[in-house]
Amino acid sequence: MEQPDWNKNDLFDGANSLFKYVEQKTQESIQWYLIKKNPKKTVSIILRCLAIIFTSIGGLIPLIASAKSDSVLWGIQFNQFGYISLLIAASCVGFDKFFGLSSSWMRFMSISLVLEKHLQDLQLEWSLLHLKYINQQNQSVELIEHMVNRLREFSFMINALVEKETKEWIAEFQTNLAQLENNTKQKLIAGRPEHIEIKEHKTT
């Protein structure tokens, strides 16, 4: 960031250059979230649609198989494909949840709207401050200081919102990862063979 030119003849130019910088950075953050949400949204919708489709198929197959109990397809009993369909549906939902696709794009959309709202408020407030500055016969240094402090407060607020969203993403990913590890351990434990106790029989 280049330091503003504080021209004594018009201090507003220096403050306005800071405003343009803050405005640009905020718009870049908004665009980043809007761009990043699109692929996550697309994949999430596809996975959710597949989950619905395969869940429906998994529910229909047993009904169809009941009419033909001895039907076999590719060497597999036809009614077994119902379980396969439900497994695929559960995998789609699990993939979406583990990578946080649905939650991420909704969170990205939410924060972009919040940033846009705060930016619009700042733009309106800045116009009012500019008008107030113009109407003053003597250019007030106190007013310029207020404008610069307002930009600083706005920047801190935007950075805090972005940092909060990032921490939420990290916490969600860590939670999903821990849950996956826990589920994997439970399945491994459940799949272990039980301890077989061999008793010796004494012969008399």
Side-chain angles (χ1 to χ4, degrees), residues 1-107:
M1 174 185 172
E2 296 182 359
Q3 291 295 324
D5 182 16
W6 295 105
N7 187 351
K8 293 183 179 180
N9 295 326
D10 193 353
L11 294 175
F12 179 78
D13 287 343
N16 197 51
S17 64
L18 286 176
F19 167 75
K20 293 296 183 182
Y21 174 80
V22 172
E23 182 183 40
Q24 179 185 355
K25 289 300 180 181
T26 305
Q27 289 173 341
E28 289 176 358
S29 297
I30 295 172
Q31 287 301 314
W32 187 90
Y33 282 111
L34 291 176
I35 292 173
K36 291 295 183 180
K37 80 174 179 62
N38 289 330
K40 294 179 181 293
K41 178 181 178 181
T42 301
V43 177
S44 173
I45 291 176
I46 292 174
L47 289 174
R48 293 293 175 171
C49 289
L50 288 175
I52 294 173
I53 292 172
F54 280 105
T55 300
S56 301
I57 294 174
L60 289 174
I61 286 179
L63 298 177
I64 299 174
S66 62
K68 298 180 180 180
S69 58
D70 58 344
S71 58
V72 178
L73 181 63
W74 299 321
I76 304 175
Q77 288 290 333
F78 185 72
N79 58 358
Q80 297 298 316
F81 283 98
Y83 298 106
I84 297 175
S85 297
L86 293 176
L87 178 61
I88 295 174
S91 299
C92 291
V93 175
F95 187 90
D96 181 20
K97 182 178 180 181
F98 176 74
F99 289 100
L101 298 175
S102 294
S103 58
S104 291
W105 79 260
M106 287 187 288
R107 193 170 60 247

